[in-house]
Amino acid sequence: MQARSLLEARSKGAAHCEASADLGCTTTEADLNDGGVTFAGGTQAAWAALEHIAADDNGCYEVRGTDTTRIQHMSQLSGRLASLYPTAGPPALLLSGTLMHRIKGIHPGQDTQRKLQPLGRLASTRVLDTATGLGYTAIEAASAGARVVTVEWDPAVVDVEHRNPWSAALFTDDAIDRRQGDIAEVIESFEEAAFDHILHDPPVLELAGDLYGVTFYHQLRRVLAPRGRLFHYVGNLDSPSGLRVSRGVVRRLEEAGFQDVRLQPDAFGISARA
Ligand SMILES: C[S@@+](CC[C@H](N)C(=O)[O-])C[C@H]1O[C@@H](n2cnc3c(N)ncnc32)[C@H](O)[C@@H]1O
C-alpha cells in the first residue's frame, strides 16, 4: 500500500484518488474519509496505520483497518531475516540487511530485464533459474514464453514470496516449476543438457560461496544444452569487490568448460555459452 501518497492526498483535501492496495502491483480508486481509506475492493486502512507505515523507509506492510503487519520472516535455516524493501517499482528482497536486487538508479523490475537480456530469445526454451528469490526473473522468463524450473533454498524467502503481490505468478503460472532446496544438490537431479538457458542469480559470494565454485559451475555446464546461454549475476563490475569477484568467476567458468565468457557491465554480471 502506498501510504505516503495517500497521506499526501489527504493533506490536499482530496476525497478520492487513484492508489494501490497491493504494493504498487495494480492501482484502483480509493475513497478518503475521516477514519482512513477505503479501496474499491473494500479493503480499509486507518490513517494511524498509514502514518505508521509511512514512518518506515525500509519495510512493506499488510494492513487491515488499524492493524499493520510488516512483511518479514525469520529463517530457521539461515538465521537471516527475510523482508520486503520498498522501491519505485516492485519491492526488493532484503536478507539480513543485504539487498538481493538493484535499487540505485534502477528498480527490481528493470534489474530483472537486464539480467534476462543476455540470454536472448526465451520463447519456447527451457530455463533454469537457480535462485528464485521473489521470482521476478522466473516470472519474466515465463511471460516471455519459456518453461522455467526455479529453486529456492530458504523457506523464509518462500514465506515472503507468498505475501508479495508481485510474486503471485510463481504460484499460478503453469510454466513455472518451483522447487525448494539447495540448488547445489537439486542440480544433480537434472539430466545432461536439460536447459537451453540458465539464469544464475545467487546471493553475494560471502553468503553463498558454493554457488561461485568450480564444482557448481561444472554442474551448470553439464545441464546446459549445446550452444545454450548462461547469465551469472555478480554485482557492479566497476566496484573493487565486483572486479575481484568477476575475475575469479570468469576463470572458473572457463575452467568448467564455458565458451565466450563475457563481462556484461550493464547487467552487473557475466554471460557465457555452453
Ligand atoms: C539474488 S536472490 C535471487 C533473485 C531472483 N532472481 C529474483 O528475481 O527475485 C538470491 C536467492 O537465492 C537464495 N539462495 C541462497 N542460497 C541458495 C541455494 N543454495 N540454492 C537455492 N537458492 C539459494 C536466497 O535465499 C535468495 O532468495
Side-chain angles (χ1 to χ4, degrees):
M1 197 170 297
Q2 316 296 289
R4 281 190 194 144
S5 60
L6 287 163
L7 290 165
E8 206 179 299
R10 176 180 67 160
S11 73
K12 289 180 182 156
H16 312 278
C17 68
E18 276 286 303
S20 178
D22 56 5
L23 301 180
C25 210
T26 60
T27 54
T28 175
E29 182 76 7
D31 286 338
L32 280 54
N33 48 55
D34 287 348
V37 176
T38 305
F39 291 92
T43 305
Q44 294 188 323
W47 291 120
L50 294 171
E51 278 158 9
H52 175 75
I53 295 168
D56 182 355
D57 286 336
N58 304 326
C60 294
Y61 290 78
E62 286 164 347
V63 188
R64 267 201 182 46
T66 53
D67 292 338
T68 59
T69 318
R70 206 170 194 268
I71 301 178
Q72 59 182 29
H73 291 268
M74 180 54 79
S75 172
Q76 304 300 321
L77 207 58
S78 66
R80 293 180 200 138
L81 185 70
S83 61
L84 287 183
Y85 185 92
T87 78
L93 174 63
L94 197 59
L95 279 183
S96 276
T98 304
L99 277 166
M100 295 289 124
H101 300 91
R102 290 172 64 185
I103 60 161
K104 278 192 195 150
I106 187 170
H107 63 62
Q110 297 158 333
D111 178 33
T112 298
Q113 300 286 349
R114 296 218 191 159
K115 286 170 183 167
L116 289 170
Q117 199 270 332
L119 297 181
R121 194 175 156 276
L122 293 172
S124 307
T125 63
R126 302 159 298 168
V127 171
L128 172 62
D129 179 51
T130 60
T132 313
L134 297 179
Y136 298 158
T137 44
I139 291 166
E140 190 61 32
S143 76
R147 295 203 68 79
V148 183
V149 175
T150 184
V151 185
E152 174 57 51
W153 171 66
D154 194 336
V157 173
V158 176
D159 289 338
V160 172
E161 289 166 5
H162 278 286
R163 295 171 69 191
N164 178 18
W166 294 83
S167 302
L170 270 181
F171 307 99
T172 56
D173 190 333
D174 290 343
I176 301 177
D177 175 357
R178 286 187 318 110
R179 312 275 177 99
Q180 217 170 317
D182 177 354
I183 182 63
E185 291 170 10
V186 175
I187 200 168
E188 291 177 15
S189 67
F190 300 135
E191 303 271 326
E192 221 166 278
F195 300 98
D196 302 303
H197 297 302
I198 299 176
L199 193 285
H200 184 39
D201 184 14
V204 290
L205 178 73
E206 292 72 20
L207 294 183
D210 284 4
L211 304 185
Y212 291 74
V214 73
T215 307
F216 183 67
Y217 291 171
H218 273 292
Q219 286 292 338
L220 291 177
R221 175 70 188 77
R222 183 184 69 79
V223 301
L224 190 57
R227 307 285 302 153
R229 293 190 196 184
L230 165 77
F231 176 72
H232 185 330
Y233 184 88
V234 168
N236 186 356
L237 302 182
D238 292 329
S239 73
S241 72
L243 196 65
R244 178 177 44 80
V245 173
S246 64
R247 278 198 195 116
V249 169
V250 167
R251 184 171 38 77
R252 290 188 298 279
L253 285 176
E254 286 175 345
E255 196 181 326
F258 282 96
Q259 316 277 323
D260 200 13
V261 179
R262 290 185 194 194
L263 299 183
Q264 300 284 351
D266 278 356
F268 277 27
I270 292 167
S271 63
R273 271 186 189 279

